[in-house]
Amino acid sequence: MTPSYELTSCAACGESDADELATAESMRAEVESLWEFHSRRLQPGIPADHLMDRVAFSQHAPLRVVRCRHCGLVYRNPIERATELAAIYQDAGPTTEVLRALHETQRASYAAQAERLTTVFGRRGRGIEVGSYVGAFLAAARDAGWQFTGVDVSESANRFTRSLGFDVHDGPLESFDAGTRVDVVAIWNCLDQLADPAGTLAAARRHLAPGGMVSIRVPNGACYAAMRPLLDGPLAGVARGWLAQNNLLGFPYRYGFTPGSATRLVERLGFRVEHVEGDVLVPIADKWTRPWAAVEERVVKSAIGAVAGVGGDDLPLAPWFELYARLEEAPQVHPGS
Ligand SMILES: [Zn+2]
């Protein structure tokens, strides 16, 4: 299906002034260089569905990528229409074997994620994970003493996750049981793909008990914006590896939030940011990765991880970041006063 596109404005601050980061032509070249980067590093004979999922290509290369002049959000403009986006995610149905392999691969990183969440939130509790996919975080959270329910638009992934014993709702968060209140709504690796991130964060707010927290993990648009211009110069090799090892080359996202633009968005919705940290993409090497490339991935990610916290408020060297924000306390209302 060829998508249709519409012009849009910034999903974080609503402004429409933006600077162009990449044209259609340069995006095509970037996606080609992504294919080339990964095909050199994979074993011959890798099944196509494993390739598609581990490399995270977008369904279609962006027509144009821009950066908001007001808050720094990086986004596709024009952008694929949202109705078609829903169709893409609903009919993507990898085999059970692929889903199980992903669940196992992601489990260890999500164990660390659950631990960070406990530290930042300050205790364990109940939660909703938006984009629970193959249930790797649900499982890690359960092991860490949390009680999480999943929400995902992919019915085939949800069937798999339910087979592991988890409670999962089919559809977006906006259609989830309105009466459910939890301590945390977690949106890992998913806010960047949603049709309406602000709408989903507003829905998250409605599901939070007092003192509740929303936590997100997203690709860092500030890193893409810093590295993208280097792809055409003497540092091209470094910039390409920096982006490709972290699934940022080819910009396979609708939105590249930055610490600044995400902060602006959640503050507008009544949250206060408590913690932001830069990070790299979780490990992706598996049995299909050539041994030298698995070593290279570890070395490069650990080097990038070491500088992920420097360079300014928007963490431009960090390919990914996490942001944890708590509901502002409602003003005390005294009846009769
Ligand atoms: Zn903006």
Side-chain angles (χ1 to χ4, degrees), residues 2-17:
T2 306
S4 62
Y5 295 87
E6 60 193 342
L7 284 168
T8 184
S9 53
C10 176
C13 76
E15 298 287 346
S16 51
D17 300 334

Side-chain angles (χ1 to χ4, degrees), residues 10-15 17 68-73 75 261 264:
C10 176
C13 76
E15 298 287 346
D17 300 334
C68 173
R69 279 191 198 156
H70 298 267
C71 75
L73 182 80
Y75 59 103
S261 56
R264 197 154 163 164

Side-chain angles (χ1 to χ4, degrees), residues 56 58 62 76 192-193 219 246-248 250-256 320:
S58 34
R76 295 176 173 218
D192 41 86
Q193 309 284 358
N246 290 289
N247 266 346
L248 274 167
F251 197 72
Y253 309 106
R254 282 166 76 79
Y255 306 107
W320 287 71

